[in-house]
Amino acid sequence: MYEGAIQDLIDELGRLPGIGPKSAQRIAFHIIQSERVDVARLVDVLRTVKERVKFCTVCGNITEEELCKICRDPRRDNTMICVVEESKDVLAIEKTREFRGKYHVLGGAISPIDGIGPENLRIRELMVRLAATEIQEIIIATDPNLEGEATATYLARLIKPLEIKISRLASGLPVGGDLEYADEVTLGRAFEGRRTLEG
Amino acid sequence: MYLSQLSLKSFRSYENLELKLTPGISIFIGRNGEGKTNIVESILYLSYLSSHRVANDLPLVQLGNSSAYIRATITNPDREVLVELEINGERANRARINQNPVRSQRELFGLVQAIYFSPEDLDLVRGDPSERRRFIDQLLTLRSPRMAGIISDYERAVKQRNSLLKSRSGIEALIPWDKQVAEFGGKIIAARMKTLSELTPIFNEIYREISAEKPTTINYKSSIEEPTLNHEENTYKILERVNATRSAELERGLTLSGPHRDDLILVLGDHIVKGYASHGESWSIALSLKLATFQLLQNDGLSPILILDDVFSELDEERRLRLIELAQVAEQTFITVAVENDLPKELSGIRFNVKAGQVTPLAP
């Protein structure tokens, strides 16, 4: 244990995701040895990010304005919504340039053990959007794990009476990879979701 | 397949242990508490990713350390695989295969297959249903490593669902979890039934050989009616049960249907073994089950490692012979005994003396 400020810093850093006690210590010493201006810049961006960045009032994506870049874009297809867990999933799908519709960020997935129920996610907001606009298709892109699947099922049941087309992203083998390197769960899923080849 | 090298670091009583191993029989001799079972426990851990002695991993980590390490070289006819496992007690374990970190320790399943015989095997016959569920699920995982993922997803889905039931949540919130529990549960029941249907004839034959003329059976007792080999039918039946027992589940805050409530019922002649069989009969049944397991894996084309942990003192002459025969055909066998006199004379192999955490080869 160090004393005073340095230990406070290590403790704070250690609370960040993906940072263990060793990494926290290394970062703390790096900060101590850094130039004053560099640290000041870090402090500035931390403060700014917290002040400026908020969530889009329509879709829940991160933005510095009232509406996020995608919701503001008139060229996007208003009839399709892709539902994701986190803002970082929006970025991942955007990189593919395959999807030209809009998004809805839930802010997580249903997980009763962690006390996260449907009411803790932005599901009510989604239903309001569906009622108010001309949506024709919903693509559910929650994570392909237990909690993501449960969230998808919950949404599908909720949306079904509205008679909107609902689809779920497929899961299976990564493209460009070797079959032998796929883990057994993915491979198993891929087997279950196999398709007939039209020859 | 055999292990050609095993090292333990901060594992149980071993600060640092380096063992060179060979195919054939290795015998660890040492008094109780000297650490011979710890060695075979580490090998079993590589195979099952859980200990056969304790439910929780914390006791595996030597006191005063945060992690224990098992490192082993697996020699197959065509290649060598180096597996490294870091056991963290309270956090998730980490594993590497040929120096490459893997996403989950579950990827280790299937690399090492080991079947063990130990005095605890009697619990298979006399213990709680959980002992028999563990037995069949371990066998499923050895035969098809993909089952490990399904079992762990199932257990998590049940936990999530129970957590909802305890909070007396509404039916709409429960439905997604009903579906997951039923889907994974249906698959587990189907897989258990299939393995059981292949295991039972072998078990019957072995039991007849080592024991009496009484016929044996293993029945799958399920929380659903007439479970089948078809997982979709099982899923449907679990959902039916779930719908029929809503109020009872909410009242108790527990998921009442699914493979986690099932049991294997061992039957001997016309009575149930548990509670009726004599000590000797119970041992014969436990032994036959384990021998059948070994045989089944061999039929699958696998060559499991055989581990005989402190069992000779428990068995009579004829049953000992049975195990010795098996030890002689297995590609690699590890045996632990407290005193050399307990070793059947027919048994030859490389001997190690285990004393105060030191393992030294004995001159032949």
Side-chain angles (χ1 to χ4, degrees):
Chain A
M1 283 289 269
Y2 297 92
E3 282 176 9
I6 176 76
Q7 188 62 42
D8 291 345
L9 179 58
I10 294 173
D11 290 346
E12 282 306 317
L13 290 169
R15 283 165 55 188
L16 300 175
I19 298 187
K22 287 246 171 70
S23 304
Q25 190 176 319
R26 214 165 100 209
I27 297 168
F29 278 96
H30 175 83
I31 290 173
I32 290 166
Q33 282 160 8
S34 302
E35 295 291 331
R36 190 173 285 266
V37 289
D38 292 330
V39 177
R41 202 169 51 240
L42 178 64
V43 171
D44 266 358
V45 294
L46 282 176
R47 186 176 297 127
T48 320
V49 87
K50 205 55 204 163
E51 276 166 9
R52 277 209 217 136
V53 176
K54 48 195 174 188
F55 298 101
C56 172
T57 50
V58 172
C59 75
N61 194 9
I62 46 166
T63 177
E64 292 189 20
E65 322 265 327
E66 187 69 15
L67 295 179
C68 74
K69 207 172 73 195
I70 296 167
C71 286
R72 282 200 312 264
D73 188 342
R75 289 164 304 174
R76 307 287 298 212
D77 185 347
N78 269 323
T79 63
M80 286 168 99
I81 292 183
C82 178
V83 180
V84 296
E85 290 183 18
E86 308 285 352
S87 288
K88 52 183 195 280
D89 302 329
V90 172
L91 201 68
I93 296 174
E94 279 300 284
K95 277 192 202 155
T96 69
R97 295 170 187 262
E98 285 291 325
F99 180 67
R100 300 301 299 162
K102 300 212 164 163
Y103 290 92
H104 193 85
V105 181
L106 294 173
I110 298 173
S111 178
I113 300 175
D114 304 308
I116 301 172
E119 65 285 358
N120 306 106
L121 303 172
R122 299 183 69 259
I123 290 177
R124 197 177 310 118
E125 289 86 338
L126 175 65
M127 298 313 284
V128 169
R129 268 179 96 180
L130 294 185
T133 49
E134 280 304 300
I135 310 290
Q136 284 162 15
E137 184 177 357
I138 296 281
I139 300 161
I140 302 178
T142 49
D143 289 346
N145 55 25
L146 269 190
E147 290 73 20
E149 291 296 340
T151 310
T153 310
Y154 182 84
L155 288 175
R157 287 180 49 85
L158 206 58
I159 297 167
K160 206 173 169 211
L162 303 180
E163 288 179 0
I164 295 171
K165 186 178 168 200
I166 311 165
S167 55
R168 171 95 175 100
L169 283 195
S171 54
L173 291 174
V175 176
D178 280 325
L179 194 74
E180 62 168 310
Y181 293 124
D183 68 281
E184 84 280 4
V185 180
T186 307
L187 204 48
R189 281 274 193 94
F191 254 99
E192 280 167 13
R194 66 186 183 273
R195 286 177 301 156
T196 312
L197 274 183
E198 305 291 340
Chain B
M1 174 211 56
Y2 66 93
L3 300 184
S4 50
Q5 169 268 333
L6 176 73
S7 15
L8 304 178
K9 192 167 173 279
S10 315
F11 184 89
R12 291 266 192 195
S13 56
Y14 294 101
E15 177 77 55
N16 251 315
L17 177 71
E18 276 288 337
L19 281 179
K20 284 257 167 288
L21 302 167
T22 49
I25 301 174
S26 304
I27 305 164
F28 299 100
I29 304 162
R31 285 216 307 272
N32 291 335
E34 300 284 359
K36 54 191 188 313
T37 295
N38 298 347
I39 299 172
V40 295
E41 183 181 33
S42 72
I43 298 168
L44 285 170
Y45 198 98
L46 288 177
S47 186
Y48 298 106
L49 296 177
S50 68
S51 162
H52 68 305
R53 298 153 89 191
V54 285
N56 150 334
D57 285 344
L58 218 51
L60 305 181
V61 182
Q62 197 177 39
L63 223 59
N65 289 287
S66 56
S67 318
Y69 301 85
I70 307 174
R71 213 164 128 227
T73 307
I74 305 158
T75 305
N76 292 299
D78 50 344
R79 62 176 190 148
E80 280 202 340
V81 183
L82 174 71
V83 293
E84 294 163 284
L85 186 63
E86 175 187 301
I87 301 171
N88 288 320
E90 275 161 344
R91 279 174 301 122
N93 292 351
R94 293 197 299 185
R96 298 201 301 171
I97 299 176
N98 287 335
Q99 321 259 351
N100 295 313
V102 291
R103 216 165 49 95
S104 147
Q105 64 162 353
R106 288 212 302 255
E107 292 186 32
L108 260 49
F109 276 122
L111 292 176
V112 179
Q113 292 103 20
I115 296 287
Y116 63 96
F117 292 77
S118 78
E120 285 84 26
D121 287 348
L122 206 52
D123 293 340
L124 270 180
V125 179
R126 300 194 154 179
D128 292 339
S130 62
E131 301 281 348
R132 287 175 290 279
R133 286 194 296 264
R134 190 163 75 126
F135 162 77
I136 189 80
D137 288 348
Q138 282 183 341
L139 182 54
L140 294 184
T141 308
L142 284 181
R143 300 186 75 199
S144 157
R146 170 172 109 72
M147 286 306 296
I150 292 175
I151 293 168
S152 112
D153 275 352
Y154 175 74
E155 285 168 353
R156 189 167 165 83
V158 169
K159 241 189 232 170
Q160 291 276 27
R161 193 170 181 275
N162 288 349
S163 167
L164 268 183
L165 287 167
K166 284 198 180 76
S167 65
R168 305 198 156 247
S169 133
I171 203 162
E172 278 307 313
L174 277 167
I175 284 174
W177 299 102
D178 294 354
K179 188 172 162 241
Q180 305 245 29
V181 163
E183 268 171 21
F184 292 119
K187 284 182 187 163
I188 295 172
I189 292 177
R192 284 180 182 172
M193 300 272 297
K194 180 162 185 293
T195 282
L196 214 53
S197 73
E198 293 167 54
L199 184 73
T200 308
I202 309 174
F203 164 71
N204 284 338
E205 201 182 311
I206 294 174
Y207 184 78
R208 211 170 32 237
E209 279 169 29
I210 63 170
S211 187
E213 54 294 336
K214 280 187 207 165
T216 52
T217 28
I218 312 173
N219 293 327
Y220 189 76
K221 183 187 162 209
S222 185
S223 46
I224 59 171
E225 269 173 49
E226 292 174 38
T228 69
L229 295 173
N230 179 326
H231 68 86
E232 280 158 356
E233 276 178 39
N234 296 337
T235 296
Y236 179 77
K237 284 175 179 169
I238 294 174
L239 280 176
E240 259 185 348
R241 284 286 305 161
V242 160
N243 281 319
T245 56
R246 285 260 177 241
S247 54
E249 286 196 328
L250 280 165
E251 204 168 286
R252 297 180 57 186
L254 284 175
T255 298
L256 298 174
S257 312
H260 69 296
R261 308 281 291 189
D262 295 354
D263 195 1
L264 309 181
I265 306 294
L266 298 155
V267 182
L268 180 60
D270 49 12
H271 62 254
I272 290 169
V273 170
K274 193 180 174 184
Y276 290 95
S278 70
H279 187 73
E281 280 176 328
S282 298
W283 254 116
S284 301
I285 287 170
L287 200 62
S288 307
L289 264 181
K290 284 298 187 77
L291 288 166
T293 309
F294 195 89
Q295 180 68 53
L296 183 63
L297 292 180
Q298 278 190 322
N299 294 356
D300 286 348
L302 303 169
S303 61
I305 292 172
L306 176 65
I307 289 173
L308 305 177
D309 184 19
D310 227 349
V311 281
F312 287 120
S313 53
E314 305 271 346
L315 302 174
D316 62 25
E317 195 55 31
E318 204 178 325
R319 287 169 195 157
R320 284 183 187 201
L321 279 175
R322 206 48 221 218
L323 286 183
I324 294 162
E325 270 171 40
L326 194 60
Q328 267 142 6
V329 297
E331 187 167 354
Q332 190 171 38
T333 302
F334 297 103
I335 296 173
T336 71
V337 282
V339 280
E340 248 179 316
N341 285 345
D342 276 352
L343 273 180
K345 285 162 206 65
E346 305 82 347
L347 208 61
S348 57
I350 297 173
R351 299 183 179 208
F352 295 90
N353 190 33
V354 183
K355 199 171 179 193
Q358 298 295 316
V359 182
T360 41
L362 290 170

